[in-house]
Amino acid sequence: MAGESKAKVIPLHSNSTRAGAQRRASRRDAALRHPSLLTDPGTRASAEQIAAVVREIDQHRFAASGSPAADGPNELAQRIGAASDFIRKRMTGDYVVDEFGFDPHLNDAMFLPLLRTLFNSWFRVEVSGIEHLPDDGAALVVANHAGVLPFDGLMTSVAVHDKHPKHRDLRLLAADLVFDLPVVGQAARKAGHTMACTADAHRLLEAGELTAVFPEGYKGLGKPFKDRYKLQRFGRGGFVSAALRTGAPIVPCSIVGSEEIYPKIGDVKLLARLLGLPYFPLTPLFPLAGPLGLLPLPSKWYIQFGEPISTADYEDGAADDPMVTFELTDQVRATIQQTLYQLLANRRGTFL
């Protein structure tokens, strides 16, 4: 033990002996104040009890050593308490999963903290226009799509959860391929995402969920680097039909920074067909750099949510009118494209 090896080197004076005795007495006193944790083996300690005991022991320890940390909250105790509470809820089944497989408890405890590291430290995302998202009720977020791998969707979900005053969950509509992948598909479901089809979009919006769609699909995600920030075709307007049927507002979202994480300079089409992929990208680092080529470049990101476009004033049956859906789709696309140009014009640099 570290304490024992130190005692062999440094002689114990009377003051240090007295301090050690005080610390041991403090631990005994703290334990005695919570006898159920020691005497009743049938009692399961809650996370709050464990955290309280650890916190009290540390406070006595700091007080005996004269450390000023005794006056502040103990971060270690909080982490122990949070971890204990998470394990207890997972073991007892004290959490809720919706019909799509969304597990908010697991998402908040595991997925979001991992993504938050990329969001804050790697891409250094700046978010604006978050006030355009409603505090409650449905809204359809429509965003541009790029970057070879769908990091833009994941970063947008972190932006909404962390920056919105109500910390709302953003439900992403993703391609079928995502849910066909082992492990990845299950994780996507638990993180709240579902397949990008009109039926699922309608169900989410009808349930009052904040839903996100990337209408460019693979055409945007896998486009060459030379075509960066040039929006591709927005599909057939299925997302507009879902918004019209539910009366949900459409919120245009423009993302700058995702185009540079994997600059796509080539595509091995034969290999993509063999692997069942929409494309097999060649970048300056992949596949030449091996696994390191999978690391996204640390570009500086900006995510801006635009003013919502209301769909509540359209007449009944507008969702089935191809002219209405086309015009609304084109309006959303033009808004996103114009905002992208504005963000690019104001950007200091790709990696600054």
Side-chain angles (χ1 to χ4, degrees):
M1 300 292 289
E4 294 175 349
S5 61
K6 183 177 181 180
K8 293 177 182 178
V9 177
I10 303 176
L12 293 175
H13 301 291
S14 58
N15 290 338
S16 60
T17 303
R18 189 179 302 110
Q22 290 175 346
R23 287 194 293 271
R24 289 191 293 273
S26 297
R27 295 190 185 97
R28 287 196 300 270
D29 292 342
L32 290 173
R33 273 190 287 273
H34 304 275
S36 62
L37 301 180
L38 300 175
T39 59
D40 187 359
T43 301
R44 178 177 293 175
S46 69
E48 291 79 8
Q49 288 175 311
I50 295 173
V53 172
V54 174
R55 190 182 302 110
E56 190 170 357
I57 290 173
D58 285 340
Q59 286 176 345
H60 283 288
R61 175 168 58 84
F62 286 129
S65 62
S67 171
D71 298 330
N74 188 276
E75 185 178 356
L76 177 60
Q78 292 176 352
R79 291 182 178 180
I80 292 175
S84 301
D85 185 57
F86 173 78
I87 293 173
R88 178 185 64 79
K89 287 185 176 181
R90 301 312 293 187
M91 293 182 66
T92 60
D94 186 17
Y95 57 94
V96 178
V97 177
D98 74 3
E99 59 178 310
F100 293 95
F102 180 35
D103 186 344
H105 181 243
L106 186 64
N107 189 49
D108 291 346
M110 294 190 65
F111 298 144
L112 283 175
L114 290 173
L115 295 174
R116 199 170 284 128
T117 301
L118 286 174
F119 184 92
N120 293 321
S121 302
W122 194 252
F123 297 135
R124 298 146 291 138
V125 184
E126 291 187 18
V127 182
S128 60
I130 198 73
E131 67 276 5
H132 295 311
L133 298 176
D135 287 346
D136 51 50
L140 183 65
V141 177
V142 182
N144 58 301
H145 208 21
V148 176
L149 293 179
F151 280 100
D152 47 10
L154 300 176
M155 294 301 103
T156 305
S157 66
V158 178
V160 172
H161 185 277
D162 287 5
K163 304 302 181 181
H164 193 278
K166 298 295 185 180
H167 302 292
R168 298 195 65 182
D169 293 306
L170 185 64
R171 311 295 294 272
L172 304 181
L173 298 174
D176 296 359
L177 176 62
V178 173
F179 303 100
D180 292 336
L181 296 174
V183 181
V184 174
Q186 296 177 347
R189 287 285 186 187
K190 291 184 179 296
H193 316 321
T194 189
M195 287 187 291
C197 63
T198 304
D200 279 2
H202 183 271
R203 288 168 61 199
L204 284 170
L205 292 172
E206 199 170 42
E209 297 288 350
L210 198 58
T211 309
V213 64
F214 300 84
E216 292 175 279
Y218 291 129
K219 298 187 301 296
L221 196 63
K223 67 175 177 287
F225 186 65
K226 64 182 178 63
D227 294 332
R228 58 192 178 279
Y229 299 113
K230 297 178 182 177
L231 292 183
Q232 306 299 298
R233 189 173 61 86
F234 265 25
R236 292 171 292 181
F239 68 93
V240 168
S241 298
L244 287 169
R245 285 192 171 89
T246 57
I250 298 175
V251 180
C253 176
S254 303
I255 305 170
V256 164
S258 59
E259 298 272 15
E260 291 87 9
I261 61 174
Y262 296 114
K264 183 170 174 281
I265 57 177
D267 186 2
V268 185
K269 297 185 181 300
L270 177 60
L271 191 55
R273 285 197 295 269
L274 291 175
L275 297 175
L277 301 174
Y279 49 82
F280 189 90
L282 296 177
T283 74
L285 297 178
F286 181 82
L288 295 179
L292 287 177
L294 297 175
L295 185 68
L297 297 179
S299 56
K300 172 68 177 177
W301 283 42
Y302 300 88
I303 299 178
Q304 180 169 321
F305 298 95
E307 294 186 6
I309 300 172
S310 176
T311 62
D313 296 333
Y314 284 87
E315 298 179 356
D316 294 340
D320 299 318
D321 188 336
M323 288 303 298
V324 173
T325 56
F326 174 78
E327 290 178 2
L328 193 49
T329 300
D330 192 56
Q331 179 185 354
V332 174
R333 184 180 181 278
T335 301
I336 295 173
Q337 184 69 82
Q338 183 179 2
T339 306
L340 285 174
Y341 288 148
Q342 292 173 351
L343 290 173
L344 289 168
N346 296 328
R347 184 167 65 162
R348 294 185 300 273
T350 303
F351 300 99
L352 299 178

